[in-house]
Amino acid sequence: MRTVRKRRDNETTQKSALGFKENEPQQRRPHFHCDLWLCLTLQNWILDFGRPIVMLLTPLEWFPLNKPSAGDYFHMAYNIITPFIMLKLIERSRRALPRSAVYLCIITFVMGASIHLVGDSINHRLILSGYQLNLSVRKNPIMKNLKPATLIDSFELLYYYDEYLGHLMWYIPFFAILFLYFTGCFTRLREHRRLPVSGRLLLGPSAIYYWYLVTEGQITQIFLVTFLSMVVTVLYQYRKGLSLDSNGLFLFCSFSTTVLLVVLWVVYLWNDPVLRNRYPGFLYVPEPWSYYILYVKRSN
């Protein structure tokens, strides 16, 4: 009996260490994970949103075109810090989450973000050479003079890895992990249903970053599927007498505000003929950097 009990205790300890627990009490943890949400928001703004800005501001002689740029180092740091924070977030989930799904999401996320790192690094060097983001690869003036002409196919392949495959392998697991965590953010306790002041302060920066992620990453479909899945989960749990806790409320409010910001952005640029031609299709969501290069940079 002692051997069996000891073995069960060891298994429980191992699950707790990995963040996959069954009935572990939550009273000893701060209910709103302000430290993790703050770290995630800061590194998203600095390492992801700030990455292209740093590349544009740093002198070219500091980072030659045949070497990694300052933005590339930001991207490398993002690829390490983000999965670590998300694993820590999963550890604090109120319910046990499937380990295989979490591991698969993290591995795919790192691989996709790394693919995007290479593509985005070369894309930045093309911009310095006159590449226009508001035009497709074949319609760019610098591509029309390439010899042999088959080189354009190689750049289109690079664009596919950067803007499509890299984005899908990056953002699908990113939102999948957030949704998996969200499924455990429900409680019956009323005192856990309030969003603290720290959460309210982080709500705006978080929502604005997700707006940038959705528009610049061209992942409107992925984001909407995740948000609608959250809505369905909330309705399902509500019928069982459960409501969102403070962490779930923070995520849900951030995504709801993001939806509003995306709608306002699309309405603002709805009749723009140039961007309409660049982003055809049913889901017309222009990229902020294309708008910046097309209007703000040229006006200066």
Side-chain angles (χ1 to χ4, degrees):
M1 289 295 293
R2 290 184 178 179
T3 304
V4 175
R5 186 179 302 171
K6 186 176 181 180
R7 186 181 301 170
R8 290 178 178 174
D9 292 341
N10 290 336
E11 290 177 356
T12 303
T13 303
Q14 291 175 358
K15 288 182 179 180
S16 299
L18 290 172
F20 303 97
K21 53 266 178 209
E22 295 179 355
N23 294 312
E24 184 178 349
Q26 301 293 325
Q27 288 82 358
R28 290 175 294 178
R29 287 191 178 89
H31 193 69
F32 182 71
H33 311 315
C34 181
D35 55 339
L36 294 182
W37 293 124
L38 177 62
C39 289
L40 186 63
T41 303
L42 285 178
Q43 68 92 34
N44 282 338
W45 273 91
I46 297 173
L47 300 180
D48 191 17
F49 179 79
R51 172 168 43 90
I53 299 176
V54 169
M55 287 192 291
L56 291 174
L57 295 180
T58 50
L60 190 59
E61 56 270 17
W62 292 5
F63 301 95
L65 294 181
N66 61 341
K67 300 293 182 182
S69 66
D72 294 339
Y73 291 112
F74 273 46
H75 208 320
M76 295 175 194
Y78 176 91
N79 293 359
I80 297 172
I81 296 174
T82 303
F84 175 76
I85 294 177
M86 303 194 83
L87 280 174
K88 298 300 293 183
L89 195 64
I90 290 296
E91 286 182 5
R92 299 189 188 181
S93 175
R94 299 176 61 89
R95 60 185 290 265
L97 300 175
R99 283 182 291 181
S100 298
V102 173
Y103 292 160
L104 184 61
C105 286
I106 291 295
I107 293 170
T108 308
F109 171 86
V110 174
M111 185 175 179
S114 300
I115 291 174
H116 185 267
L117 163 63
V118 177
D120 195 64
S121 178
I122 298 175
N123 188 45
H124 168 67
R125 283 147 181 77
L126 290 175
I127 293 175
L128 294 177
S129 302
Y131 186 85
Q132 300 179 34
L133 288 177
N134 60 297
L135 298 175
S136 63
V137 175
R138 290 192 176 273
K139 292 183 179 180
N140 260 270
I142 67 171
M143 295 294 176
K144 295 180 179 179
N145 298 324
L146 286 178
K147 300 295 180 181
T150 52
L151 282 175
I152 300 179
D153 296 329
S154 299
F155 280 102
E156 283 191 327
L157 177 62
L158 176 67
Y159 182 83
Y160 172 79
Y161 272 107
D162 179 23
E163 296 295 328
Y164 292 98
L165 186 62
H167 277 184
L168 291 176
M169 295 181 65
W170 178 358
Y171 294 127
I172 289 179
F174 177 83
F175 285 107
I177 291 175
L178 289 180
F179 177 72
L180 284 174
Y181 172 80
F182 181 80
T183 59
C185 295
F186 291 88
T187 182
R188 297 182 187 275
L189 303 177
R190 291 186 177 181
E191 60 270 20
H192 290 171
R193 301 177 186 176
R194 299 177 181 177
L195 190 62
V197 176
S198 57
R200 297 173 188 173
L201 294 176
L202 289 173
L203 188 60
S206 177
I208 294 174
Y209 170 75
Y210 287 132
W211 163 82
Y212 168 77
L213 203 64
V214 172
T215 54
E216 187 65 28
Q218 294 292 285
I219 53 165
T220 310
Q221 298 93 326
I222 299 173
F223 175 78
L224 289 179
V225 168
T226 306
F227 178 69
L228 291 176
S229 300
M230 287 182 170
V231 173
V232 171
T233 304
V234 170
L235 295 176
Y236 174 75
Q237 296 291 355
Y238 181 77
R239 294 184 62 182
K240 296 169 60 177
L242 298 173
S243 299
L244 285 171
D245 63 11
S246 56
N247 293 287
L249 195 59
F250 173 75
L251 262 180
F252 191 76
C253 290
S254 296
F255 276 46
S256 300
T257 308
T258 302
V259 171
L260 177 61
L261 292 176
V262 172
V263 170
L264 293 176
W265 174 254
V266 172
V267 171
Y268 173 66
L269 298 174
W270 186 258
N271 295 320
D272 189 288
V274 179
L275 292 176
R276 266 287 180 181
N277 183 61
R278 177 68 179 88
Y279 302 97
F282 175 72
L283 287 175
Y284 165 69
V285 183
E287 298 177 58
W289 279 106
S290 295
Y291 176 82
Y292 169 79
I293 293 175
L294 187 61
Y295 295 109
V296 180
K297 188 177 181 180
R298 287 185 179 180
S299 63
N300 296 332

